């Protein structure tokens, strides 16, 4: 049984505004809740005019307040940008306010498009931040769960507010580094297949082979994210996919090279390459459902997280609605357990 969830990275539509993008994320979350999806996650991005989601905790708070059932979380908070205690306190407040339905996915990237040190300096991110990610993760888990190695410097600090049920913690990654970090701590692994060529499936083999059962997880648990575009028919989805990629390509090209005009054949070639690199599951409802099942089987995923690849909120709602209607996993009396809690069969 594979559950379906949703990740929205708050992309700004070509010609649109960041304000509208954030409102569209909320609208999409409400639709995901109504359709029965299991989780709805938002991401952390900085220094990008094409992404409006710079503060996951703030956005999560609003989404959780306007949804009823769906779990809401981060995919993810870039832990190397923040003090673990700060993140633990933010998500403890969220968990306390919103019926214990908060997830905390964490990663080690900057979440920024600038690879220079300027963003690192603005975030007060030390040069060794990526290398220290495992230690930062241990601090985060220590604060949330009260589990510290003997004589740890922070073991006498108490989380405020105290939590009877901490939020579920996930490690995000596309490589074996993140997989090893999650496996060594018995944590679930959120694999970013939607990032296309940057993702490496060997990470999942590493995660499963190195997984160490513990208090936070008895067995490996994989969430795999994937770009999806669903329409009424395969032909319509193909047209929409091409139009969406073309619009995104021109938006990016205009932002980086506003004075450069590409010849039409070159533009068509680059748009085709971009569409191929997306590894976009697209088609009518039956085609998309079959594609998601194949992907889940190939990756051995316990959960598939859709990244709706549509420019408008209406388009994302269409993808979620049609996919949910076509997704009929076999019923089972009890689902897999994550952090000791049963995972509901979503979109059944």
């Amino acid at each position: 049984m594979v559950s379906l969830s949703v990740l929205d990275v708050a992309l700004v539509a070509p010609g649109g505004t960041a304000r509208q993008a954030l409102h569209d994320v909320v609208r999409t979350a409400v639709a995901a809740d109504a359709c029965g999806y299991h989780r709805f996650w938002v991401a952390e991005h900085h220094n990008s005019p094409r992404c409006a989601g710079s503060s996951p905790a703030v956005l999560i708070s609003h989404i959780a307040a306007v949804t009823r059932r769906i779990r809401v979380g981060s995919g993810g908070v870039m832990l190397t940008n923040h003090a673990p205690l700060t993140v633990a306190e933010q998500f403890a407040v969220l968990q306390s306010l919103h019926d214990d339905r908060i997830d905390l996915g964490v990663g080690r990237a900057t979440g920024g498009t600038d690879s220079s040190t300027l963003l690192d300096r603005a975030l007060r991110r030390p040069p060794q931040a990526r290398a220290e990610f495992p230690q930062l993760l241990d601090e985060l888990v220590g604060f949330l769960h009260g589990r510290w190695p003997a004589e740890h410097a922070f073991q006498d600090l108490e989380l405020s507010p105290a939590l009877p049920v901490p939020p579920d913690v996930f490690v995000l990654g596309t490589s074996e580094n993140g997989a090893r970090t999650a496996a060594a701590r018995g944590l679930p692994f959120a694999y970013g297949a939607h990032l296309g060529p940057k993702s490496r499936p060997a990470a999942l083999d590493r995660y499963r082979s190195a997984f160490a059962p513990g208090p936070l997880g008895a067995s490996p648990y994989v969430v795999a994210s994937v770009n999806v575009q669903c329409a009424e028919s395969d032909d319509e989805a193909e047209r929409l996919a091409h139009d969406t990629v073309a619009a995104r390509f021109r938006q990016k090209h205009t932002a980086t090279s506003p004075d450069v005009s590409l010849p039409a054949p070159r533009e068509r070639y680059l748009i085709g390459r971009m569409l191929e690199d997306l590894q976009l599951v697209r088609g009518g409802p039956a085609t998309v459902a079959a594609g998601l099942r194949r992907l889940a089987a190939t990756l051995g995923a316990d959960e598939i997280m859709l990244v709706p690849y549509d420019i408008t909120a209406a388009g994302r709602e269409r993808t979620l609605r049609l996919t949910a209607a076509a997704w009929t996993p076999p019923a089972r009396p009890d689902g897999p357990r994550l952090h000791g809690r049963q995972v509901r069969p979503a979109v059944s």
Side-chain angles (χ1 to χ4, degrees):
M1 181 179 56
V2 177
S3 296
L4 293 187
S5 295
V6 182
L7 169 66
D8 195 316
V9 296
L11 288 175
V12 178
T17 65
R19 178 185 181 126
Q20 185 59 53
L22 290 171
H23 284 282
D24 285 350
V25 171
V26 176
R27 176 177 166 180
T28 305
V30 171
D33 191 25
C35 288
Y37 285 85
H38 184 44
R39 310 178 200 277
F40 189 92
W41 284 4
V42 296
E44 176 182 347
H45 289 104
H46 302 283
N47 193 40
S48 174
R50 298 190 302 124
C51 294
S54 58
S55 181
V58 174
L59 190 51
I60 288 168
S61 182
H62 185 69
I63 291 171
V66 297
T67 52
R68 177 183 58 84
R69 176 207 54 82
I70 197 167
R71 297 189 63 82
V72 185
S74 59
V77 166
M78 298 299 103
L79 188 56
T80 47
N81 295 343
H82 313 279
L85 177 58
T86 298
V87 175
E89 289 177 335
Q90 289 174 346
F91 278 75
V93 170
L94 290 169
Q95 181 81 327
S96 298
L97 288 173
H98 298 295
D99 305 321
D100 299 338
R101 57 187 179 100
I102 301 298
D103 296 329
L104 174 51
V106 295
R108 67 181 188 132
T110 59
T113 58
D114 186 356
S115 60
S116 73
T117 59
L118 187 60
L119 181 58
D120 289 346
R121 286 170 52 198
L123 291 168
R124 302 299 191 267
R125 176 184 166 106
Q128 71 277 15
R130 286 174 66 90
E132 290 183 346
F133 176 69
Q135 290 74 35
L136 297 174
L137 179 60
D138 288 340
E139 288 184 21
L140 178 69
V141 171
F143 287 124
L144 289 173
H145 289 267
R147 299 181 183 277
W148 296 101
E151 306 302 323
H152 194 282
F154 297 152
Q155 66 182 5
D156 292 331
L157 293 177
E158 295 186 8
L159 182 66
S160 178
L163 288 176
V165 181
D168 288 337
V169 177
F170 298 73
V171 176
L172 278 61
T174 58
S175 70
E176 295 186 33
N177 287 328
R180 280 193 296 265
T181 300
R185 291 153 181 83
L187 289 170
F189 184 52
Y191 172 68
H194 75 284
L195 296 173
K198 295 180 182 179
S199 59
R200 295 186 283 279
L204 296 176
D205 293 334
R206 172 69 67 180
Y207 171 64
R208 294 188 183 95
S209 64
F211 188 86
L216 301 180
S219 59
Y221 190 90
V222 172
V223 180
S225 57
V226 59
N227 296 303
V228 178
Q229 193 158 41
C230 192
E232 301 290 347
S233 68
D234 289 356
D235 288 344
E236 177 67 5
E238 196 65 33
R239 182 189 68 79
L240 287 170
H242 184 275
D243 290 350
T244 302
V245 170
R248 292 290 181 199
F249 173 83
R250 290 168 187 145
Q251 179 190 32
K252 182 177 180 180
H253 179 74
T254 301
T256 56
S257 306
D259 300 322
V260 177
S261 178
L262 289 174
R266 177 64 176 168
E267 182 183 78
R268 285 195 298 270
Y269 168 76
L270 292 174
I271 289 172
R273 284 291 305 273
M274 185 174 172
L275 181 57
E276 182 179 338
D277 288 345
L278 276 172
Q279 301 181 29
L280 177 65
V281 176
R282 58 191 184 271
T287 300
V288 166
L292 294 178
R293 289 194 182 93
R294 284 194 299 272
L295 182 71
T298 299
L299 299 179
D302 300 284
E303 189 173 327
I304 293 293
M305 183 160 276
L306 282 66
V307 184
Y309 197 75
D310 300 272
I311 289 176
T312 65
R316 293 198 285 277
E317 288 179 21
R318 179 191 60 237
T319 284
L320 297 183
R321 173 175 48 81
L322 293 175
T323 302
W327 189 259
T328 53
R332 204 167 77 178
D334 57 353
R337 290 189 174 271
L338 180 60
H339 291 205
R341 294 206 296 276
Q342 184 175 314
V343 178
R344 297 186 302 277
V347 197
S348 57

